[in-house]
């Protein structure tokens, strides 16, 4: 029976994986001398001799790198789509003859669909595979951008931005899910950092692209650019990136079961082998696509530890998205910058996000190893760790805390620097710190979310998307009114203090989270036993 808190392996002959591990840079378990050498210094984070079993992933190191590279570029799409639009808000409002408040409504509806769409995409990805989910999302996204580039009225802009959001917003949940498919918990931080860098490059570069395109080619060029980017990514993905979903291909050793889970290259090879009368290898059971169930996402929100994590992660997201959404309009009002200059002002924020993504990966993996050493926990890089005996909440939350409180100080200072209309270097330096600290904290909480729900990581991240984007939609709808009523200084002081007020949630998670996680593990094992008993009846 599979333990849902252990990185779930596929039960196959262990000898096959020992041979394949050599190509992935890990020592094989069938070499006792290697194991003795590795553990001679009594370092519990070294690979210890464990009972023979399957590898967590049979993908070679080069294949993993290719998968993660493609996923990082795909994760760029959702934040790019949201942020590339910000420098063009004023010219779009002017050309469509509507107010900036009306254009801000397209941000609100975008976030509503950004919340809803991943609930469908996440469940589809966990049930049918990552490839069909990616392909559907990108096809929708391409056609939505085509329509946006050609439309000439506000109603069309509003509707097509919703469709665009439906296509792009699921890519973040899918990206985190792919990392959970191929990386064990002990090295997940590094890979999450790579994908996080892709996500956070969006706030750094896309406003610059948006400003350049709006300034020299007109704002419709923004959507032409998004369409071309998606099409260029989709071609190599469809041709070469394999299915990784563990519910579909296990640890990668089971052949893809349906054409939508198979790369175009593998389909051509299979047809050639079939013509030559060769065996295709492995049993292929035809898998049926079913309509995704969004209520599976809601189940995540009713788990005690996950609900608290979702809530605080949402507050963290809300703070930095409100700053990103108002940065262009506030700087335009104070400094009277052009579209291009406003786009360049997003660079410090995005650079801070990128630094945070890269740093947090190494910090999380280092802290994981440090805690493992402290409690005498043996890390199994080959098959994955049984997290039921490891304080994963502490390993993830501890590095996030100093980043978070430094970010709160930066948010409050940012509000008052805008209030007093200082030199532009002040707010730009502070948005760098906000990107580094607040966005970095949010990324760490996302990593913990995947660790706590390994059996359906795409659904778990989709739950975070649902909650944070609904709150974000409400926040962007009222932030202009807050700024007018409270002023810049007190508005951002309020949001910084909200993070401080609810910060004890993190302590609660480290204190009682492991117990709640164990309750969920035992409950799921009992549910599996009941299902097995029902299916085994004649």
């Amino acid at each position: 029976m599979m333990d849902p808190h252990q990185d779930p392996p596929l039960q196959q002959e262990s000898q096959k994986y020992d041979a394949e591990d050599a190509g992935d840079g890990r020592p094989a378990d069938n070499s006792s001398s290697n194991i003795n050498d590795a553990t001679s210094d009594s370092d519990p984070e070294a690979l210890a001799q464990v009972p023979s079993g399957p590898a967590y992933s049979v993908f070679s190191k080069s294949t993993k790198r290719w998968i993660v590279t493609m996923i990082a570029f795909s994760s760029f799409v959702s934040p790019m789509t949201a942020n590339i639009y910000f420098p063009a808000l004023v010219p779009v409002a002017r050309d469509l003859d509507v107010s900036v408040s009306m254009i801000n409504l397209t941000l609100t509806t975008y976030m509503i669909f950004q919340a809803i769409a991943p609930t469908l995409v996440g469940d589809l990805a966990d049930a049918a595979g990552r490839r069909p989910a990616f392909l559907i999302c990108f096809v929708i996204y391409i056609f939505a951008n085509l329509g946006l580039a050609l439309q000439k009225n506000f109603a069309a802009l509003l509707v097509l931005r919703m469709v665009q959001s439906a296509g792009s917003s699921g890519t973040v949940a899918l990206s985190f899910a792919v990392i959970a498919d191929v990386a064990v918990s002990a090295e997940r931080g590094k890979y999450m950092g790579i994908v996080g860098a892709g996500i956070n490059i969006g706030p750094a570069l896309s406003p610059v692209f948006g400003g350049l395109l709006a300034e020299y080619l007109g704002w419709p060029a923004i959507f032409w650019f998004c369409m071309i980017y998606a099409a260029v990514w989709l071609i190599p993905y469809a041709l070469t990136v394999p299915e990784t979903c563990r519910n579909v291909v296990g640890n990668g050793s089971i052949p893809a079961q349906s054409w939508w889970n198979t790369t175009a290259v593998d389909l051509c090879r299979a047809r050639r082998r079939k013509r030559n009368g060769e065996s295709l290898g492995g049993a292929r059971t035809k898998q049926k696509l079913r309509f995704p169930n969004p209520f599976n996402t809601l189940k995540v929100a009713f788990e005690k530890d996950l609900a608290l994590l979702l809530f605080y992660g949402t507050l963290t997201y809300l703070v930095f998205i409100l700053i990103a959404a108002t940065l262009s309009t506030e700087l335009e009002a104070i400094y009277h910058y052009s579209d291009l200059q406003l786009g360049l002002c997003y660079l410090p924020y995005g650079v801070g996000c990128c630094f945070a993504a890269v740093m947090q990966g190494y910090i999380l993996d280092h802290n994981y190893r440090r805690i493992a050493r402290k409690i005498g926990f043996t890390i199994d890089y080959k098959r994955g760790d049984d997290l039921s005996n490891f304080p994963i909440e502490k390993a993830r939350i501890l590095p996030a805390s100093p980043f978070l409180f430094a970010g709160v100080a930066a948010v409050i200072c940012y509000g008052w620097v805008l209030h007093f209309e200082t030199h532009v270097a002040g707010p730009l330096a502070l948005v760098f710190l906000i990107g580094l600290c607040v966005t970095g904290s949010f990324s760490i909480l996302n990593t913990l979310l995947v660790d706590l729900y390994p059996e359906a990581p795409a659904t778990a991240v989709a739950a975070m998307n649902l909650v944070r984007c609904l709150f974000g939609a409400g926040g962007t709808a009222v932030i202009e009114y807050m700024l007018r009523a409270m002023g810049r200084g007190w508005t951002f002081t309020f949001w910084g203090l909200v993070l401080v007020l609810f910060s004890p949630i993190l302590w609660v998670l480290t204190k009682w989270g492991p117990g709640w996680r164990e309750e969920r593990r035992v409950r799921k094992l009992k549910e599996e036993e009941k299902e097995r008993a029902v299916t085994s009846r004649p």
Side-chain angles (χ1 to χ4, degrees):
M1 185 178 298
M2 186 186 301
D3 186 339
H5 278 74
Q6 185 173 11
D7 296 328
L10 178 72
Q11 299 301 323
Q12 300 284 347
E13 295 89 349
S14 63
Q15 292 84 354
K16 172 181 177 182
Y17 304 110
D18 291 336
E20 295 199 27
D21 259 2
D24 194 30
R26 300 292 182 195
D29 276 0
N30 58 0
S31 175
S32 58
S33 62
N34 287 346
I35 293 170
N36 291 333
D37 291 340
T39 58
S40 60
D41 59 354
S42 301
D43 185 355
E45 70 186 61
L47 287 177
Q49 188 167 4
V50 294
S52 182
Y56 184 78
S57 174
V58 300
F59 293 114
S60 67
K61 184 170 287 188
S62 60
T63 302
K64 282 184 182 179
R65 286 171 178 166
W66 173 240
I67 291 170
V68 172
T69 299
M70 287 297 294
I71 295 309
F73 278 102
S74 76
S75 65
F76 178 75
V77 168
S78 182
M80 174 188 72
T81 307
N83 289 273
I84 199 171
Y85 188 54
F86 289 155
L89 295 179
V90 174
V92 170
R94 183 174 59 247
D95 289 355
L96 299 183
D97 196 24
V98 294
S99 66
V100 173
S101 297
M102 290 290 288
I103 296 299
N104 280 340
L105 185 61
T106 66
L107 301 178
T108 302
T109 55
Y110 181 95
M111 287 188 176
I112 291 173
F113 272 75
Q114 196 175 30
I116 296 172
T119 65
L120 300 173
V121 174
D123 187 58
L124 173 66
D126 285 331
R130 315 303 183 208
R131 279 181 58 84
F134 267 120
L135 294 174
I136 291 171
C137 285
F138 271 81
V139 169
I140 292 172
Y141 181 73
I142 287 170
F143 281 102
N145 279 296
L146 177 62
L148 283 165
L150 298 175
Q151 57 79 29
K152 296 295 182 184
N153 65 77
F154 176 74
L157 175 70
L158 186 67
V159 172
L160 287 170
R161 279 282 288 176
M162 297 179 196
V163 179
Q164 185 192 43
S165 176
S168 67
S169 56
T171 57
V172 173
L174 293 176
S175 298
F176 284 127
V178 170
I179 299 304
D181 293 336
V182 301
V184 297
S185 299
E187 59 182 6
R188 194 167 288 159
K190 175 179 66 178
Y191 289 112
M192 286 286 195
I194 295 171
V195 171
I199 293 172
N200 293 318
I201 285 173
L205 296 183
S206 57
V208 179
F209 293 155
L212 283 169
L213 293 168
E215 182 87 5
Y216 296 108
L217 298 176
W219 58 263
I222 290 173
F223 303 114
W224 287 117
F225 173 82
C226 292
M227 186 188 77
I228 293 169
Y229 180 94
V232 169
W233 180 89
L234 187 60
I235 294 170
Y237 178 83
L239 290 175
T240 62
V241 178
E243 179 61 68
T244 62
C245 180
R246 304 183 72 82
N247 293 329
V248 177
V249 296
N251 59 1
S253 62
I254 298 177
Q257 302 166 338
S258 304
W259 66 265
W260 51 78
N261 299 117
T262 307
T263 66
V265 172
D266 286 339
L267 278 175
C268 293
R269 289 174 179 169
R271 288 174 181 172
R272 186 168 61 249
R273 290 198 300 268
K274 188 175 181 180
R275 284 198 305 267
N276 296 335
E278 301 175 15
S279 171
L280 296 180
R284 291 173 179 256
T285 303
K286 186 69 175 179
Q287 188 177 17
K288 294 182 180 180
L289 280 177
R290 61 171 176 80
F291 190 79
N293 182 6
F295 294 104
N296 287 336
T297 301
L298 297 179
K299 292 179 184 177
V300 177
F302 288 101
E303 300 286 350
K304 285 177 282 191
D305 54 340
L306 297 176
L308 289 174
L309 184 60
L310 290 174
F311 177 70
Y312 199 76
T314 293
L315 293 180
T316 308
Y317 168 83
L318 190 57
V319 169
F320 71 75
I321 198 63
L322 291 179
I323 290 173
T326 57
L327 182 62
S328 64
T329 53
E330 292 304 308
L331 295 186
E332 196 275 336
I334 297 171
Y335 304 107
H336 310 291
Y337 284 162
S338 66
D339 297 337
L340 176 57
Q341 290 172 315
L342 291 174
L344 291 172
C345 288
Y346 281 88
L347 270 178
Y349 171 71
V351 170
C353 292
C354 292
F355 272 117
V358 175
M359 287 168 42
Q360 65 125 23
Y362 291 99
I363 291 172
L364 287 180
D365 288 347
H366 169 77
N367 198 55
Y368 189 102
R369 294 192 297 268
R370 184 186 66 83
I371 291 179
R373 268 197 309 270
K374 185 176 180 180
I375 66 175
F377 182 85
T378 301
I379 296 175
D380 188 349
Y381 286 101
K382 177 183 176 183
R383 298 173 180 84
D385 297 324
D386 181 359
L387 297 181
S388 61
N389 299 313
F390 185 82
I392 191 65
E393 293 86 356
K394 183 178 180 180
R396 301 309 193 203
I397 290 175
L398 195 62
S401 301
F403 279 100
L404 185 64
F405 288 106
V408 167
V411 168
I412 294 173
C413 291
Y414 169 78
W416 291 105
V417 164
L418 288 182
H419 175 80
F420 290 110
E421 300 185 1
T422 65
H423 189 276
V424 70
L428 294 187
L430 288 166
V431 294
F432 168 80
L433 291 175
I434 291 167
L436 179 68
C437 298
V438 180
T439 311
S441 302
F442 176 72
S443 299
I444 291 173
L445 297 180
N446 261 329
T447 303
L448 176 59
L449 183 64
V450 171
D451 290 324
L452 295 180
Y453 211 72
E455 61 270 26
T459 301
V461 179
M464 176 68 85
N465 271 2
L466 174 66
V467 180
R468 72 179 174 89
C469 291
L470 288 178
F471 274 74
T476 54
V478 303
I479 187 63
E480 290 292 337
Y481 301 103
M482 290 184 68
L483 287 167
R484 287 200 292 267
M486 300 171 62
R488 298 171 183 133
W490 286 114
T491 295
F492 291 108
T493 298
F494 168 81
W495 287 112
L497 293 179
V498 165
L499 288 182
V500 175
L501 178 65
F502 289 99
S503 62
I505 287 176
L506 301 179
W507 177 81
V508 170
L509 285 172
T510 58
K511 179 75 173 177
W512 287 287
W516 293 334
R517 177 159 51 93
E518 178 64 13
E519 290 176 8
R520 181 167 62 252
R521 185 185 73 86
V522 172
R523 185 177 69 247
K524 288 183 180 297
L525 288 175
K526 290 180 179 179
E527 291 173 356
E528 287 179 6
E529 289 177 356
K530 289 181 181 178
E531 290 177 3
R532 288 164 65 92
V534 170
T535 55
S536 62
R537 290 175 185 171

